Amino acid sequence: MTTTPNATVDVRTIVPRERHPLIFSTFKQLSAGHWLELINDHDPKPLYYQFQAEMPGQFDWAYLQEGPDVWRVSIAKRAAATHSPCCGSCGG
């Protein structure tokens, strides 16, 4: 991961109902290995749980700053896992 985010989403002035859709939309536009910086006025832990439910295994989450007035989070898009149709147990 580079030290500079590929996108920054500051939701402090965004209407609450529009925050999560904006964050998910921005995340989906990222290429694998890229990351966005989320800036928020509270701990975005509910968003983390939503990411876990909707995009399991597709992101990495790291706090860059933890309050009390500003929270900054790195949300990185993982490379897509490649799954073989065969589990390998048959030797095929």
Side-chain angles (χ1 to χ4, degrees):
M1 183 171 73
T2 63
T3 57
T4 305
N6 302 99
T8 299
V9 180
D10 185 342
V11 295
R12 294 176 291 179
T13 61
I14 305 294
V15 176
R17 72 176 183 278
E18 296 175 2
R19 291 178 178 190
H20 287 202
L22 173 62
I23 295 162
F24 275 94
S25 172
T26 304
F27 179 81
K28 288 175 182 176
Q29 293 175 21
L30 294 175
S31 299
H34 289 187
W35 66 285
L36 69 85
E37 179 180 358
L38 170 64
I39 303 170
N40 205 350
D41 55 7
H42 64 274
D43 187 352
K45 191 62 105 175
L47 177 68
Y48 172 76
Y49 293 128
Q50 187 177 354
F51 262 90
Q52 280 189 318
E54 295 184 19
M55 302 187 145
Q58 298 178 47
F59 71 98
D60 291 311
W61 178 283
Y63 284 95
L64 304 172
Q65 181 178 347
E66 296 183 67
D69 298 319
V70 176
W71 275 258
R72 293 173 45 241
V73 178
S74 162
I75 307 172
K77 184 177 264 189
R78 292 182 181 171
T82 55
H83 298 287
S84 171
C86 175
C87 68
S89 66
C90 66

Coordinates of all heavy atoms in Angstrom, one line a residue:
M1 N 0.9 -1.2 0.0 CA 0.0 0.0 0.0 C 0.9 1.2 0.0 O 1.8 1.3 0.8 CB -0.9 0.0 1.2 CG -1.9 1.1 1.3 SD -3.1 1.0 2.6 CE -2.2 1.3 4.0
T2 N 0.6 2.2 -0.8 CA 1.3 3.4 -0.9 C 0.9 4.3 0.3 O -0.1 4.1 0.9 CB 1.0 4.2 -2.2 OG1 -0.3 4.5 -2.2 CG2 1.4 3.4 -3.4
T3 N 1.7 5.3 0.6 CA 1.5 6.2 1.7 C 0.4 7.2 1.4 O -0.1 7.9 2.2 CB 2.7 6.9 2.2 OG1 3.3 7.6 1.1 CG2 3.7 5.8 2.7
T4 N 0.1 7.4 0.1 CA -0.9 8.4 -0.4 C -2.1 7.6 -0.8 O -2.1 6.7 -1.6 CB -0.3 9.2 -1.5 OG1 0.9 9.8 -1.2 CG2 -1.3 10.2 -2.0
P5 N -3.3 8.0 -0.3 CA -4.5 7.3 -0.7 C -4.9 7.6 -2.1 O -4.5 8.6 -2.7 CB -5.6 7.9 0.2 CG -5.1 9.2 0.7 CD -3.6 9.1 0.7
N6 N -5.5 6.6 -2.7 CA -6.0 6.8 -4.1 C -7.3 7.5 -4.2 O -7.6 8.0 -5.3 CB -6.1 5.4 -4.8 CG -4.8 4.6 -4.7 OD1 -4.7 3.8 -3.9 ND2 -3.9 4.9 -5.6
A7 N -8.0 7.7 -3.1 CA -9.2 8.5 -3.0 C -9.3 8.9 -1.5 O -8.9 8.2 -0.6 CB -10.4 7.7 -3.4
T8 N -10.0 10.0 -1.3 CA -10.3 10.5 0.0 C -11.7 10.8 0.1 O -12.3 11.5 -0.8 CB -9.4 11.7 0.4 OG1 -8.0 11.4 0.3 CG2 -9.8 12.2 1.8
V9 N -12.4 10.3 1.1 CA -13.8 10.6 1.3 C -14.0 11.2 2.7 O -13.8 10.5 3.7 CB -14.7 9.3 1.2 CG1 -16.1 9.6 1.3 CG2 -14.4 8.6 -0.2
D10 N -14.3 12.5 2.7 CA -14.5 13.2 4.0 C -16.1 13.3 4.1 O -16.7 14.1 3.4 CB -13.9 14.5 3.9 CG -14.0 15.3 5.2 OD1 -14.8 14.9 6.1 OD2 -13.2 16.2 5.4
V11 N -16.6 12.5 5.0 CA -18.1 12.5 5.1 C -18.6 13.4 6.2 O -19.8 13.4 6.4 CB -18.6 11.0 5.3 CG1 -18.3 10.2 4.1 CG2 -18.1 10.4 6.6
R12 N -17.8 14.2 6.8 CA -18.2 15.0 7.9 C -19.3 16.0 7.5 O -20.1 16.4 8.4 CB -17.0 15.7 8.6 CG -16.1 14.8 9.2 CD -14.8 15.5 9.7 NE -14.0 15.9 8.6 CZ -12.9 16.6 8.7 NH1 -12.4 16.9 9.9 NH2 -12.2 17.0 7.7
T13 N -19.4 16.4 6.3 CA -20.4 17.4 5.8 C -21.4 16.8 5.0 O -22.3 17.5 4.4 CB -19.7 18.6 5.1 OG1 -19.1 18.1 3.9 CG2 -18.7 19.3 6.0
I14 N -21.4 15.5 4.8 CA -22.4 14.7 4.0 C -23.6 14.3 4.9 O -23.4 13.9 6.0 CB -21.7 13.5 3.4 CG1 -20.4 13.8 2.6 CG2 -22.7 12.7 2.5 CD1 -20.7 14.7 1.4
V15 N -24.7 14.4 4.3 CA -26.0 14.0 5.0 C -25.8 12.5 5.4 O -25.4 11.7 4.5 CB -27.2 14.2 4.1 CG1 -28.5 13.6 4.7 CG2 -27.3 15.6 3.6
P16 N -26.1 12.1 6.6 CA -25.8 10.8 7.1 C -26.3 9.7 6.2 O -25.6 8.7 6.0 CB -26.5 10.7 8.5 CG -26.3 12.1 9.0 CD -26.5 13.0 7.7
R17 N -27.5 9.8 5.6 CA -28.1 8.7 4.8 C -27.3 8.5 3.5 O -27.5 7.5 2.8 CB -29.6 9.0 4.5 CG -29.9 10.1 3.6 CD -31.4 10.2 3.3 NE -31.7 11.2 2.3 CZ -31.8 12.5 2.6 NH1 -31.6 12.9 3.8 NH2 -32.0 13.4 1.6
E18 N -26.5 9.5 3.1 CA -25.8 9.4 1.9 C -24.3 9.0 2.1 O -23.6 8.7 1.1 CB -25.8 10.8 1.2 CG -27.1 11.2 0.7 CD -27.2 12.6 0.2 OE1 -26.1 13.3 0.0 OE2 -28.3 13.1 -0.2
R19 N -23.9 8.8 3.3 CA -22.5 8.5 3.6 C -22.1 7.1 3.2 O -21.1 7.0 2.4 CB -22.2 8.7 5.1 CG -22.3 10.1 5.6 CD -22.0 10.2 7.0 NE -22.0 11.6 7.5 CZ -21.7 12.1 8.6 NH1 -21.2 11.2 9.6 NH2 -21.7 13.4 8.9
H20 N -22.8 6.1 3.6 CA -22.4 4.7 3.3 C -22.5 4.5 1.8 O -21.5 3.9 1.2 CB -23.2 3.7 4.1 CG -22.8 3.6 5.5 ND1 -23.1 2.5 6.3 CD2 -22.2 4.5 6.3 CE1 -22.6 2.8 7.5 NE2 -22.1 4.0 7.6
P21 N -23.5 4.9 1.1 CA -23.5 4.7 -0.4 C -22.3 5.4 -1.1 O -21.7 4.8 -2.0 CB -24.9 5.3 -0.8 CG -25.7 5.2 0.4 CD -24.8 5.4 1.5
L22 N -22.0 6.5 -0.6 CA -20.8 7.2 -1.2 C -19.5 6.5 -1.0 O -18.7 6.3 -1.9 CB -20.7 8.7 -0.7 CG -19.4 9.4 -1.1 CD1 -19.4 9.7 -2.6 CD2 -19.4 10.8 -0.3
I23 N -19.3 6.0 0.2 CA -18.1 5.2 0.6 C -18.0 3.9 -0.2 O -17.0 3.6 -0.8 CB -18.1 5.0 2.1 CG1 -18.0 6.3 2.9 CG2 -16.9 4.0 2.5 CD1 -18.4 6.2 4.3
F24 N -19.1 3.2 -0.3 CA -19.1 1.9 -1.0 C -18.9 2.2 -2.5 O -18.2 1.4 -3.2 CB -20.4 1.1 -0.8 CG -20.4 0.3 0.4 CD1 -20.8 0.8 1.7 CD2 -19.8 -1.0 0.4 CE1 -20.8 0.0 2.8 CE2 -19.7 -1.7 1.6 CZ -20.2 -1.3 2.8
S25 N -19.5 3.2 -3.1 CA -19.3 3.5 -4.5 C -17.9 3.9 -4.8 O -17.3 3.4 -5.7 CB -20.2 4.7 -4.8 OG -20.0 5.2 -6.1
T26 N -17.3 4.7 -3.9 CA -15.9 5.0 -4.1 C -15.0 3.8 -4.0 O -14.1 3.6 -4.8 CB -15.4 6.1 -3.0 OG1 -16.3 7.2 -3.2 CG2 -14.0 6.5 -3.3
F27 N -15.2 2.9 -3.0 CA -14.5 1.7 -2.8 C -14.6 0.8 -4.0 O -13.5 0.3 -4.5 CB -15.0 1.0 -1.5 CG -14.2 -0.3 -1.3 CD1 -13.0 -0.3 -0.7 CD2 -14.7 -1.5 -1.7 CE1 -12.3 -1.5 -0.5 CE2 -14.0 -2.7 -1.5 CZ -12.8 -2.7 -0.9
K28 N -15.8 0.7 -4.6 CA -15.9 -0.2 -5.7 C -15.2 0.3 -7.0 O -14.8 -0.5 -7.8 CB -17.4 -0.4 -6.0 CG -18.1 -1.3 -5.0 CD -19.6 -1.3 -5.2 CE -20.3 -2.2 -4.1 NZ -21.7 -2.2 -4.2
Q29 N -14.9 1.6 -7.0 CA -14.2 2.1 -8.2 C -12.7 1.9 -8.1 O -11.9 2.1 -9.0 CB -14.5 3.6 -8.3 CG -15.9 3.9 -8.7 CD -16.2 5.4 -8.7 OE1 -15.4 6.2 -8.8 NE2 -17.5 5.7 -8.6
L30 N -12.2 1.5 -6.9 CA -10.8 1.4 -6.7 C -10.3 0.1 -7.4 O -11.0 -0.9 -7.5 CB -10.4 1.2 -5.2 CG -10.7 2.4 -4.3 CD1 -10.4 1.9 -2.8 CD2 -9.7 3.5 -4.6
S31 N -9.0 0.1 -7.8 CA -8.4 -1.0 -8.4 C -7.8 -1.8 -7.2 O -7.6 -1.3 -6.1 CB -7.2 -0.6 -9.3 OG -7.7 0.1 -10.4
A32 N -7.6 -3.1 -7.4 CA -7.1 -4.0 -6.4 C -5.7 -3.4 -6.0 O -4.9 -2.9 -6.8 CB -6.9 -5.4 -6.9
G33 N -5.5 -3.4 -4.7 CA -4.2 -2.9 -4.1 C -4.3 -1.4 -3.8 O -3.4 -0.9 -3.2
H34 N -5.3 -0.7 -4.2 CA -5.5 0.7 -3.9 C -6.3 0.9 -2.7 O -7.0 0.0 -2.2 CB -6.2 1.4 -5.1 CG -5.3 1.5 -6.3 ND1 -5.6 2.3 -7.4 CD2 -4.0 1.0 -6.6 CE1 -4.6 2.2 -8.3 NE2 -3.7 1.4 -7.8
W35 N -6.3 2.1 -2.1 CA -7.0 2.3 -0.9 C -7.6 3.7 -0.8 O -7.2 4.6 -1.5 CB -6.1 2.1 0.3 CG -4.9 3.0 0.5 CD1 -3.8 3.0 -0.2 CD2 -4.8 4.0 1.4 NE1 -2.9 4.0 0.2 CE2 -3.5 4.6 1.3 CE3 -5.6 4.5 2.5 CZ2 -3.0 5.7 2.0 CZ3 -5.1 5.6 3.2 CH2 -3.9 6.1 3.0
L36 N -8.6 3.8 0.0 CA -9.2 5.1 0.2 C -9.0 5.5 1.7 O -8.9 4.7 2.5 CB -10.7 5.2 -0.2 CG -11.7 4.4 0.6 CD1 -12.2 5.2 1.8 CD2 -12.9 4.1 -0.2
E37 N -9.0 6.8 1.9 CA -8.9 7.3 3.2 C -10.3 7.9 3.6 O -10.8 8.8 2.9 CB -7.9 8.4 3.4 CG -7.9 9.0 4.8 CD -6.8 10.1 4.9 OE1 -6.1 10.4 4.0 OE2 -6.8 10.7 6.0
L38 N -10.9 7.4 4.6 CA -12.2 7.8 5.1 C -11.9 8.8 6.3 O -11.2 8.5 7.2 CB -13.0 6.7 5.6 CG -14.3 7.0 6.3 CD1 -15.3 7.8 5.4 CD2 -15.0 5.8 6.9
I39 N -12.6 10.0 6.2 CA -12.5 10.9 7.3 C -13.9 11.1 7.8 O -14.8 11.4 7.1 CB -11.9 12.3 6.8 CG1 -10.5 12.1 6.2 CG2 -11.8 13.3 8.0 CD1 -10.0 13.3 5.4
N40 N -14.1 10.9 9.2 CA -15.4 10.9 9.8 C -15.3 11.7 11.1 O -14.2 11.9 11.7 CB -15.9 9.5 10.0 CG -17.4 9.4 10.0 OD1 -18.1 10.4 10.1 ND2 -17.8 8.1 10.0
D41 N -16.5 12.0 11.6 CA -16.6 12.8 12.9 C -16.9 11.8 14.1 O -17.1 12.3 15.2 CB -17.6 13.9 12.8 CG -19.0 13.4 12.4 OD1 -19.2 12.2 12.3 OD2 -19.9 14.3 12.2
H42 N -17.0 10.5 13.8 CA -17.2 9.5 14.8 C -16.5 8.2 14.4 O -16.2 8.0 13.2 CB -18.7 9.3 15.1 CG -19.4 8.8 14.0 ND1 -20.0 9.6 13.0 CD2 -19.8 7.5 13.6 CE1 -20.6 8.9 12.1 NE2 -20.5 7.6 12.5
D43 N -16.4 7.3 15.3 CA -15.8 6.0 15.0 C -16.8 5.3 14.0 O -17.9 5.0 14.3 CB -15.7 5.1 16.2 CG -15.0 3.8 16.0 OD1 -14.7 3.4 14.9 OD2 -14.7 3.2 17.1
P44 N -16.2 4.9 12.8 CA -17.1 4.3 11.8 C -17.2 2.8 11.9 O -17.3 2.1 10.9 CB -16.4 4.7 10.5 CG -14.9 4.8 10.9 CD -14.9 5.3 12.3
K45 N -17.2 2.3 13.1 CA -17.3 0.8 13.4 C -18.5 0.2 12.7 O -18.4 -0.9 12.1 CB -17.3 0.6 14.9 CG -17.1 -0.9 15.2 CD -15.8 -1.4 14.7 CE -14.8 -1.6 15.9 NZ -13.6 -2.3 15.4
P46 N -19.7 0.8 12.7 CA -20.8 0.2 12.0 C -20.6 0.0 10.5 O -21.0 -1.0 9.9 CB -22.0 1.2 12.2 CG -21.6 1.9 13.5 CD -20.1 2.0 13.5
L47 N -19.8 0.9 9.9 CA -19.4 0.8 8.5 C -18.5 -0.4 8.3 O -18.7 -1.2 7.4 CB -18.7 2.1 8.0 CG -18.2 2.0 6.6 CD1 -19.4 2.0 5.6 CD2 -17.3 3.2 6.3
Y48 N -17.6 -0.6 9.3 CA -16.7 -1.8 9.2 C -17.6 -3.1 9.2 O -17.3 -4.0 8.4 CB -15.8 -1.8 10.4 CG -15.0 -3.1 10.6 CD1 -13.9 -3.3 9.8 CD2 -15.3 -4.0 11.5 CE1 -13.2 -4.5 9.9 CE2 -14.6 -5.2 11.6 CZ -13.5 -5.4 10.8 OH -12.8 -6.6 10.9
Y49 N -18.6 -3.2 10.1 CA -19.4 -4.4 10.1 C -20.2 -4.5 8.8 O -20.5 -5.6 8.3 CB -20.4 -4.3 11.3 CG -19.6 -4.4 12.6 CD1 -19.8 -3.5 13.6 CD2 -18.7 -5.4 12.8 CE1 -19.2 -3.6 14.8 CE2 -18.0 -5.5 14.0 CZ -18.2 -4.6 15.0 OH -17.6 -4.7 16.2
Q50 N -20.6 -3.4 8.2 CA -21.3 -3.5 6.9 C -20.4 -4.0 5.8 O -20.8 -4.8 5.0 CB -21.9 -2.1 6.5 CG -22.8 -2.2 5.3 CD -23.4 -0.8 5.0 OE1 -23.3 0.1 5.7 NE2 -24.1 -0.8 3.8
F51 N -19.1 -3.5 5.8 CA -18.1 -4.0 4.9 C -18.0 -5.5 5.1 O -17.9 -6.3 4.1 CB -16.8 -3.3 5.0 CG -16.6 -2.2 4.0 CD1 -17.0 -0.9 4.3 CD2 -16.0 -2.4 2.8 CE1 -16.8 0.1 3.4 CE2 -15.7 -1.4 1.9 CZ -16.1 -0.1 2.2
Q52 N -17.9 -6.0 6.3 CA -17.7 -7.4 6.6 C -18.9 -8.2 6.0 O -18.7 -9.3 5.5 CB -17.6 -7.7 8.1 CG -16.2 -7.4 8.7 CD -16.1 -7.9 10.1 OE1 -17.0 -7.7 10.9 NE2 -15.0 -8.5 10.4
A53 N -20.1 -7.7 6.2 CA -21.3 -8.4 5.7 C -21.4 -8.4 4.2 O -21.8 -9.4 3.6 CB -22.5 -7.8 6.3
E54 N -21.1 -7.3 3.6 CA -21.3 -7.2 2.1 C -20.1 -7.5 1.3 O -20.2 -7.8 0.1 CB -21.8 -5.7 1.8 CG -23.1 -5.4 2.4 CD -23.7 -4.1 2.0 OE1 -23.2 -3.5 1.0 OE2 -24.6 -3.6 2.7
M55 N -18.9 -7.4 1.8 CA -17.7 -7.6 1.1 C -16.6 -8.4 1.9 O -15.5 -8.0 2.0 CB -17.1 -6.3 0.7 CG -18.0 -5.4 -0.1 SD -17.2 -3.9 -0.8 CE -18.1 -3.8 -2.3
P56 N -17.0 -9.6 2.4 CA -16.1 -10.3 3.2 C -14.8 -10.7 2.4 O -14.9 -11.1 1.2 CB -16.9 -11.6 3.6 CG -17.9 -11.7 2.6 CD -18.2 -10.3 2.1
G57 N -13.7 -10.5 3.0 CA -12.4 -10.9 2.4 C -11.9 -10.0 1.3 O -10.9 -10.3 0.6
Q58 N -12.6 -8.9 1.0 CA -12.3 -8.0 -0.1 C -11.6 -6.7 0.3 O -11.3 -5.9 -0.6 CB -13.6 -7.7 -0.9 CG -14.2 -8.9 -1.5 CD -15.5 -8.5 -2.3 OE1 -15.5 -7.6 -3.0 NE2 -16.6 -9.2 -2.0
F59 N -11.4 -6.5 1.6 CA -10.9 -5.2 2.1 C -10.0 -5.4 3.3 O -10.1 -6.4 4.0 CB -12.0 -4.3 2.4 CG -12.8 -4.7 3.7 CD1 -12.5 -4.1 4.9 CD2 -13.7 -5.6 3.7 CE1 -13.1 -4.4 6.0 CE2 -14.4 -6.0 4.8 CZ -14.1 -5.4 6.0
D60 N -9.1 -4.4 3.5 CA -8.4 -4.3 4.7 C -8.7 -3.0 5.4 O -8.9 -2.0 4.7 CB -6.9 -4.4 4.4 CG -6.4 -5.8 4.0 OD1 -6.8 -6.7 4.7 OD2 -5.7 -5.8 3.0
W61 N -8.8 -3.0 6.7 CA -9.3 -1.8 7.4 C -8.2 -1.5 8.5 O -7.8 -2.3 9.2 CB -10.6 -2.2 8.1 CG -11.3 -1.2 9.0 CD1 -10.9 -0.8 10.2 CD2 -12.4 -0.4 8.6 NE1 -11.8 0.1 10.7 CE2 -12.7 0.4 9.8 CE3 -13.3 -0.3 7.5 CZ2 -13.8 1.3 9.8 CZ3 -14.3 0.6 7.6 CH2 -14.6 1.3 8.7
A62 N -7.8 -0.2 8.5 CA -6.8 0.2 9.5 C -7.1 1.6 9.9 O -7.3 2.5 9.1 CB -5.4 0.1 8.9
Y63 N -7.1 1.8 11.2 CA -7.3 3.2 11.8 C -6.0 4.0 11.6 O -4.9 3.5 11.9 CB -7.7 3.1 13.2 CG -9.1 2.7 13.5 CD1 -9.5 1.4 13.7 CD2 -10.1 3.7 13.4 CE1 -10.8 1.1 14.0 CE2 -11.4 3.3 13.6 CZ -11.8 2.0 13.9 OH -13.1 1.7 14.1
L64 N -6.1 5.2 11.1 CA -5.0 6.1 10.9 C -5.0 7.1 12.1 O -4.0 7.7 12.5 CB -5.0 6.8 9.6 CG -5.1 5.9 8.4 CD1 -5.3 6.7 7.1 CD2 -3.8 5.1 8.3
Q65 N -6.2 7.4 12.5 CA -6.4 8.4 13.6 C -7.7 8.0 14.3 O -8.8 7.8 13.6 CB -6.5 9.8 13.1 CG -6.7 10.9 14.1 CD -6.7 12.3 13.6 OE1 -6.4 12.5 12.4 NE2 -7.2 13.3 14.4
E66 N -7.7 8.0 15.6 CA -8.9 7.5 16.4 C -9.4 8.6 17.4 O -9.1 8.5 18.5 CB -8.6 6.2 17.1 CG -8.3 5.1 16.2 CD -8.1 3.8 17.0 OE1 -9.0 3.3 17.6 OE2 -6.9 3.3 17.0
G67 N -10.1 9.6 16.8 CA -10.8 10.6 17.6 C -9.9 11.5 18.5 O -8.7 11.5 18.3
P68 N -10.4 12.2 19.3 CA -11.8 12.2 19.7 C -12.7 13.0 18.7 O -13.9 12.8 18.7 CB -11.9 12.9 21.1 CG -10.7 13.8 21.1 CD -9.7 13.2 20.2
D69 N -12.2 13.9 17.9 CA -13.0 14.7 17.1 C -13.0 14.2 15.6 O -13.9 14.5 14.9 CB -12.5 16.2 17.1 CG -12.7 16.8 18.5 OD1 -13.7 16.5 19.1 OD2 -11.8 17.5 18.9
V70 N -11.9 13.6 15.2 CA -11.8 13.1 13.8 C -11.3 11.7 13.8 O -10.3 11.4 14.6 CB -10.8 14.0 13.0 CG1 -10.5 13.5 11.6 CG2 -11.3 15.5 13.0
W71 N -11.9 10.9 13.0 CA -11.4 9.5 12.8 C -11.0 9.4 11.3 O -11.7 9.9 10.5 CB -12.5 8.5 13.0 CG -12.7 8.1 14.5 CD1 -12.2 6.9 15.0 CD2 -13.3 8.8 15.5 NE1 -12.6 6.9 16.4 CE2 -13.3 8.1 16.7 CE3 -14.0 10.1 15.6 CZ2 -13.8 8.5 17.9 CZ3 -14.5 10.5 16.8 CH2 -14.4 9.7 17.9
R72 N -9.9 8.8 11.1 CA -9.4 8.6 9.7 C -9.1 7.1 9.6 O -8.4 6.5 10.5 CB -8.1 9.4 9.5 CG -8.3 10.9 9.4 CD -7.0 11.7 9.3 NE -6.1 11.2 8.4 CZ -4.9 10.8 8.6 NH1 -4.4 10.8 9.9 NH2 -4.1 10.4 7.7
V73 N -9.6 6.5 8.5 CA -9.5 5.1 8.3 C -9.0 4.8 6.9 O -9.5 5.4 6.0 CB -10.8 4.4 8.6 CG1 -10.7 2.9 8.3 CG2 -11.4 4.6 10.0
S74 N -8.1 3.9 6.8 CA -7.7 3.3 5.5 C -8.5 2.1 5.2 O -8.6 1.2 6.0 CB -6.2 3.0 5.6 OG -5.8 2.1 4.5
I75 N -9.1 2.1 4.0 CA -9.9 1.0 3.6 C -9.3 0.6 2.2 O -9.4 1.3 1.2 CB -11.4 1.3 3.4 CG1 -12.0 1.9 4.7 CG2 -12.1 0.0 3.0 CD1 -13.4 2.4 4.5
A76 N -8.6 -0.6 2.2 CA -7.8 -1.0 1.0 C -8.6 -2.1 0.3 O -9.1 -3.0 1.0 CB -6.4 -1.5 1.4
K77 N -8.5 -2.1 -1.0 CA -9.2 -3.2 -1.8 C -8.1 -4.3 -2.0 O -7.1 -4.0 -2.5 CB -9.7 -2.7 -3.1 CG -10.4 -3.7 -3.9 CD -11.0 -3.2 -5.2 CE -12.4 -2.8 -5.0 NZ -13.0 -2.4 -6.3
R78 N -8.4 -5.5 -1.5 CA -7.5 -6.6 -1.7 C -7.6 -7.1 -3.2 O -8.6 -6.9 -3.9 CB -8.0 -7.8 -0.8 CG -7.8 -7.5 0.6 CD -8.2 -8.8 1.4 NE -8.0 -8.6 2.8 CZ -8.4 -9.4 3.7 NH1 -9.0 -10.5 3.4 NH2 -8.2 -9.2 5.0
A79 N -6.5 -7.8 -3.6 CA -6.5 -8.4 -4.9 C -7.5 -9.5 -4.9 O -7.8 -10.2 -3.9 CB -5.1 -8.9 -5.2
A80 N -8.2 -9.7 -6.0 CA -9.2 -10.7 -6.1 C -8.5 -12.1 -6.0 O -7.5 -12.4 -6.6 CB -9.9 -10.6 -7.5
A81 N -9.1 -12.9 -5.2 CA -8.6 -14.3 -5.0 C -9.0 -15.1 -6.2 O -10.1 -14.9 -6.8 CB -9.2 -14.9 -3.7
T82 N -8.1 -15.9 -6.6 CA -8.4 -16.8 -7.7 C -8.7 -18.2 -7.1 O -8.0 -18.7 -6.3 CB -7.2 -16.9 -8.7 OG1 -6.0 -17.3 -7.9 CG2 -6.9 -15.6 -9.3
H83 N -9.9 -18.7 -7.5 CA -10.3 -20.0 -7.0 C -10.3 -21.0 -8.2 O -10.9 -20.7 -9.2 CB -11.7 -19.9 -6.4 CG -11.8 -18.9 -5.3 ND1 -11.3 -19.3 -4.1 CD2 -12.3 -17.7 -5.1 CE1 -11.5 -18.3 -3.2 NE2 -12.1 -17.3 -3.8
S84 N -9.7 -22.1 -7.9 CA -9.7 -23.2 -8.9 C -11.0 -24.0 -8.7 O -11.4 -24.2 -7.6 CB -8.5 -24.1 -8.6 OG -8.6 -25.2 -9.4
P85 N -11.6 -24.4 -9.8 CA -12.8 -25.2 -9.7 C -12.5 -26.5 -9.0 O -13.4 -27.2 -8.5 CB -13.3 -25.3 -11.1 CG -12.1 -25.1 -11.9 CD -11.2 -24.1 -11.2
C86 N -11.3 -27.0 -9.0 CA -10.9 -28.2 -8.4 C -10.2 -28.0 -7.1 O -9.3 -27.1 -7.0 CB -10.0 -29.0 -9.4 SG -9.3 -30.5 -8.7
C87 N -10.5 -28.8 -6.0 CA -9.9 -28.6 -4.7 C -8.5 -29.2 -4.7 O -7.8 -29.0 -3.8 CB -10.8 -29.2 -3.6 SG -10.9 -31.0 -3.7
G88 N -8.2 -30.1 -5.7 CA -6.8 -30.7 -5.7 C -6.8 -32.0 -5.1 O -5.7 -32.7 -5.2
S89 N -7.8 -32.4 -4.4 CA -7.7 -33.7 -3.7 C -7.7 -34.9 -4.6 O -7.3 -36.0 -4.2 CB -8.8 -33.8 -2.6 OG -10.0 -33.9 -3.2
C90 N -8.2 -34.8 -5.8 CA -8.3 -35.9 -6.7 C -7.1 -36.1 -7.5 O -6.9 -37.0 -8.3 CB -9.6 -35.8 -7.6 SG -9.5 -34.4 -8.7
G91 N -6.2 -35.1 -7.4 CA -4.9 -35.1 -8.2 C -5.1 -34.7 -9.7 O -4.2 -34.7 -10.5
G92 N -6.3 -34.1 -9.9 CA -6.6 -33.7 -11.3 C -6.3 -32.2 -11.6 O -5.8 -31.5 -10.9

